[in-house]
Amino acid sequence: MIFYTNNLFFLVMLLGSLITMSSSSWFMAWIGMEINLMGFIPLISSHSNKRYSEASMKYFFIQSIASSTFLFSFLLSSSFFSIIQSISMTPWMISSIMLLSLSIKLGASPFHMWLPTISDGLSWMNCFILMTWQKIAPLSMISLINQKSFMLLMIIYMSAMSGSIGGLNQTSLRKIMAFSSISHMAWILTSMLFSKTLWMIYLLIYSILIFSIIYNFLFLNIFHINQIFTNLNKNFNMLIIMNFFSLGGLPPFLGFLPKWLIMIQLIQNNMMFMIFVLISSTLINLYFYTRISYSSILMYNNNNKWMKTKKTVPLTHSILSMFSSFGLILTSMTFSLL
């Protein structure tokens, strides 16, 4: 019975995001986000665990604040508040309030500290949903707001640096993935400055890579860095390393392809400082990705009772992880088409 109930809430969550993406007014977009929220909260708190209940309450309050701010912003632009708008509010201020409220929903900097805290209290699959599908609706609305605004550029810079620096001193894998998501959000928002298709490609590739990593962590039942080197199966460790390198954008893996396309656009628009900030944050991300890889390959410990020891790698894990190795082929094909 719980399985069918979770499927129902999962469909409600999907329906909310689809309503937001297909809506023709801000009000319907807001309704879609609320439906999405009401579908995701029961999925978080469905487990009989105090940490899951605490995470669901925190997520509900934060998303409610963001939704209220978003509702306030587009009401100011309506004809009912035309007098207030003509006196004190300008279209730039209204769009800035919208952008701030949506950045809260995304977990982008400077409103990012709730994301690692809540992620650390979720299951692995809920973490995957939070870092991928829950970002689609806010991102689709940000792409409709005015491009290349000063506030959007500041959010990009702060997300790139806070996401990379914040993950340096973390030992929880869920927090590391959350800070990595904040850093990748800077790349996604940067791609919005040039093309609506480019950010969708980046989000799709990011979702594939993060699913491969999270699926391995879920299969092995590990949540911290010091648990990785207790895994005796080196084939799993190699798959995790390959996906982490791809997530960090190391060529010739698949994760390098969207970063390379974004860098081409930045160079063509002479935005060298943004390239420097994004590449610097990516190098910091590669540092703690490498630290995880070091733990899984070079360190060794006896197997513990909580560890799910797997002697063979299932075909599903191998297929998912092989996506990372296709980067060289896709990069060569893209280069030949440009």
Side-chain angles (χ1 to χ4, degrees), residues 63-322:
Q63 296 296 314
S64 298
I65 293 172
S67 297
S68 301
T69 308
F70 182 77
L71 179 64
F72 172 75
S73 63
F74 74 76
L75 283 179
L76 286 177
S77 61
S78 63
S79 59
F80 182 76
F81 290 93
S82 59
I83 298 177
I84 300 177
Q85 180 182 354
S86 62
I87 295 175
S88 57
M89 302 295 291
T90 61
W92 178 83
M93 296 175 66
I94 294 173
S95 62
S96 298
I97 297 174
M98 283 187 178
L99 185 59
L100 288 176
S101 62
L102 294 173
S103 64
I104 296 174
K105 281 187 165 295
L106 286 173
S109 184
F111 311 104
H112 65 282
M113 289 310 298
W114 66 267
L115 184 59
T117 305
I118 292 178
S119 298
D120 200 37
L122 300 180
S123 64
W124 274 122
M125 292 312 298
N126 285 334
C127 281
F128 170 74
I129 296 174
L130 179 63
M131 296 174 191
T132 54
W133 182 264
Q134 293 300 98
K135 297 180 183 296
I136 294 179
L139 285 172
S140 63
M141 286 188 288
I142 289 178
S143 63
L144 300 176
I145 305 176
N146 56 338
Q147 302 293 321
K148 296 185 180 180
S149 64
F150 175 77
M151 185 168 294
L152 182 58
L153 295 178
M154 289 297 101
I155 291 175
I156 291 173
Y157 291 138
M158 289 187 290
S159 297
M161 299 313 298
S162 60
S164 57
I165 296 175
L168 287 175
N169 60 342
Q170 301 297 329
T171 59
S172 172
L173 291 174
R174 285 173 291 189
K175 284 189 176 181
I176 289 176
M177 299 306 295
F179 279 109
S180 174
S181 176
I182 296 170
S183 181
H184 282 277
M185 189 53 54
W187 285 91
I188 294 176
L189 293 176
T190 303
S191 63
M192 284 186 181
L193 301 176
F194 311 107
S195 172
K196 291 184 178 180
T197 306
L198 187 55
W199 75 265
M200 297 179 186
I201 296 174
Y202 193 104
L203 184 61
L204 177 62
I205 295 177
Y206 170 74
S207 301
I208 294 173
L209 296 178
I210 197 175
F211 181 74
S212 301
I213 295 173
I214 287 178
Y215 195 46
N216 286 322
F217 289 158
L218 176 65
F219 194 72
L220 296 173
N221 194 32
I222 54 179
F223 299 95
H224 296 85
I225 291 181
N226 58 356
Q227 294 175 342
I228 295 180
F229 61 81
T230 58
N231 179 31
L232 301 180
N233 192 327
K234 298 304 178 183
N235 294 327
F236 267 110
N237 295 335
M238 289 302 299
L239 295 181
I240 293 174
I241 289 173
M242 187 169 60
N243 282 285
F244 266 121
F245 284 165
S246 182
L247 187 65
L250 191 69
F253 294 107
L254 180 62
F256 173 70
L257 176 60
K259 289 183 171 62
W260 179 59
L261 295 175
I262 293 173
M263 285 189 290
I264 290 176
Q265 295 293 330
L266 291 172
I267 293 172
Q268 291 177 352
N269 288 270
N270 199 24
M271 302 175 70
M272 299 302 175
F273 181 72
M274 183 172 287
I275 294 178
F276 171 76
V277 173
L278 293 176
I279 293 179
S280 300
S281 66
T282 302
L283 291 176
I284 299 174
N285 287 342
L286 278 173
Y287 168 76
F288 56 79
Y289 293 159
T290 307
R291 185 178 62 173
I292 298 174
S293 305
Y294 170 80
S295 300
S296 62
I297 289 296
L298 300 181
M299 301 183 70
Y300 177 81
N301 200 354
N302 292 327
N303 199 19
N304 294 322
K305 292 182 179 180
W306 50 261
M307 173 63 69
K308 294 181 179 179
T309 304
K310 308 296 179 181
K311 296 183 179 180
T312 58
V313 180
L315 181 62
T316 307
H317 294 258
S318 302
I319 294 175
L320 286 173
S321 299
M322 286 301 106

Side-chain angles (χ1 to χ4, degrees), residues 12-37 67 70 102 105 133-144:
V12 170
M13 182 191 69
L14 298 181
L15 177 63
S17 298
L18 294 176
I19 290 174
T20 299
M21 289 185 288
S22 61
S23 61
S24 58
S25 64
W26 292 117
F27 182 70
M28 286 302 299
W30 174 78
I31 290 178
M33 287 193 299
E34 295 306 301
I35 295 175
N36 173 267
L37 176 62
S67 297
F70 182 77
L102 294 173
K105 281 187 165 295
W133 182 264
Q134 293 300 98
K135 297 180 183 296
I136 294 179
L139 285 172
S140 63
M141 286 188 288
I142 289 178
S143 63
L144 300 176

